[in-house]
């Protein structure tokens, strides 16, 4: 019995030394390979850069020569800009007809396209037309010559579509911001550059009395008067017209540009 006990002790020591008596460890099975999912994120697109716009030419320090700023005779001329407008242009035309005078309407191409009937009435009642650019771009004269050419030609085309055969002898640059380039383009299209000598700034919406006083004070023989029948609420201009027309007609007479 003692021999058996001794052998058992020896066997236990041997097992400990060999590591077989360590606690049982659980071995995780090897992971199965995971399927590869294709990426759904969009592929990067090449960046398309637009060519930079050419810089605008600077405006000249003073107005270029050759602008029409006087009638060359005693009577004055009335000009109306930025129409035709369905709210104001018919009322201006009514007043001109009542006073038996004519005016020059400097029309914007896209307004011509919207209201061709008003262009036809302007021509039918003996008034003159003047190209005032397609969309009243104040910087048009500073843009590349080909852009100026396209703008003015597009406006003339719209006028001819509205009133076939109508003459467009003049061009007026929006804001009076002239350059030699826009002068050359206008003249190349058979239009003379029309400026002004009296500006009551009715575009800034003074009241009717102020508009009348400014015109009365600034008018001289042969003046070209700037007024507006479009581009905003022209109620004050309309209210001022009967008095200022009567005043100018009495002092100088009112004529059509030649």
């Amino acid at each position: 019995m003692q021999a058996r006990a001794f052998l058992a002790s020896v066997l236990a020591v041997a097992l400990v030394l060999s590591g077989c008596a360590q606690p049982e460890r659980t071995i995780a099975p090897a992971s199965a390979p995971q399927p590869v999912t294709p990426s759904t994120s969009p592929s990067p697109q090449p960046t398309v850069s637009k060519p930079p716009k050419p810089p605008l030419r600077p405006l000249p320090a003073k107005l270029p020569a050759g602008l029409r700023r006087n009638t060359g005779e005693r009577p004055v001329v009335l000009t109306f800009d930025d129409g035709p407008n369905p709210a104001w242009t018919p009322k201006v035309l009514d007043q001109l007809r009542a006073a038996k005078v004519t005016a020059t309407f400097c029309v914007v191409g896209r307004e011509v396209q919207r209201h061709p009937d008003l262009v036809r009435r302007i021509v039918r009642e003996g008034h003159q037309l003047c190209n005032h650019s397609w969309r009243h771009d104040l910087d048009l004269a500073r843009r590349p010559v080909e852009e100026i050419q396209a703008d003015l030609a597009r406006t003339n085309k719209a006028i001819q579509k509205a009133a076939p055969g109508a003459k467009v002898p003049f061009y007026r640059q929006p804001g009076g911001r002239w350059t030699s380039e826009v002068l050359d383009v206008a003249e190349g299209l058979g239009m003379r550059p029309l400026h002004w000598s009296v500006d009551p700034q009715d575009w800034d919406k003074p009241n009717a009395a102020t508009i009348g006083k400014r015109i009365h004070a600034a008018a001289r023989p042969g003046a070209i008067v700037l007024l507006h029948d479009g581009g905003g609420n022209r109620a004050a201009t309309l209210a001022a017209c009967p008095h200022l027309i009567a005043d100018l007609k009495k002092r100088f007479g009112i004529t059509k540009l030649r």
Side-chain angles (χ1 to χ4, degrees):
M1 292 294 293
Q2 290 179 350
R4 289 178 181 176
F6 176 75
L7 287 173
S9 299
V10 172
L11 183 58
V13 170
L15 288 171
V16 169
L17 293 175
S18 67
C20 293
Q22 293 179 6
E24 185 178 358
R25 292 177 295 173
T26 301
I27 301 175
S31 301
Q34 299 296 317
V36 178
T37 304
S39 173
T40 58
S41 59
S43 302
Q45 297 297 318
T47 302
V48 179
S49 58
K50 294 182 179 179
K53 291 184 177 181
L56 297 176
R57 286 183 298 276
L59 288 172
K62 60 181 182 178
L63 289 174
L67 301 180
R68 186 72 181 275
R69 304 176 71 178
N70 192 281
T71 67
E73 51 187 337
R74 183 172 180 78
V76 303
V77 164
L78 299 175
T79 65
F80 292 89
D81 283 17
D82 302 349
N85 181 279
W88 309 112
T89 304
K91 296 174 182 177
V92 170
L93 287 168
D94 289 346
Q95 292 193 5
L96 295 173
R97 182 170 57 190
K100 298 181 180 179
V101 297
T102 57
T104 300
F105 286 82
C106 302
V107 294
V108 175
R110 61 184 180 184
E111 300 305 321
V112 168
Q113 189 176 63
R114 291 168 182 162
H115 312 293
D117 55 319
L118 292 178
V119 179
R120 288 191 287 273
R121 181 179 170 187
I122 289 169
V123 174
R124 186 170 63 248
E125 296 187 3
H127 305 287
Q128 285 184 316
L129 291 174
C130 170
N131 183 321
H132 197 33
S133 83
W134 180 256
R135 61 181 181 88
H136 203 269
D137 178 4
L138 291 172
D139 287 323
L140 177 62
R142 304 172 63 199
R143 300 192 187 282
V145 169
E146 57 271 18
E147 287 188 32
I148 301 173
Q149 172 82 27
D151 187 292
L152 272 58
R154 184 182 184 187
T155 303
N156 278 346
K157 185 177 180 180
I159 293 171
Q160 291 303 315
K161 185 176 180 181
K167 294 181 179 179
V168 188
F170 300 102
Y171 171 73
R172 173 172 279 170
Q173 170 61 24
R177 303 176 74 180
W178 298 92
T179 62
S180 59
E181 288 81 5
V182 77
L183 285 175
D184 291 342
V185 170
E187 290 174 354
L189 291 171
M191 297 181 292
R192 287 168 283 168
L194 178 60
H195 199 64
W196 56 82
S197 56
V198 177
D199 177 9
Q201 299 183 356
D202 64 332
W203 46 265
D204 199 31
K205 308 236 178 8
N207 60 38
T210 299
I211 293 171
K213 287 176 182 177
R214 289 174 178 174
I215 292 175
H216 181 84
R220 300 289 184 274
I224 296 176
V225 181
L226 171 63
L227 293 163
H228 292 81
D229 67 323
N233 186 321
R234 301 306 176 199
T237 300
L238 189 70
C241 276
H243 176 74
L244 72 86
I245 290 173
D247 178 58
L248 294 173
K249 192 175 180 182
K250 180 179 178 182
R251 294 166 65 198
F252 309 108
I254 296 175
T255 190
K256 182 186 290 188
L257 276 173
R258 295 176 176 82

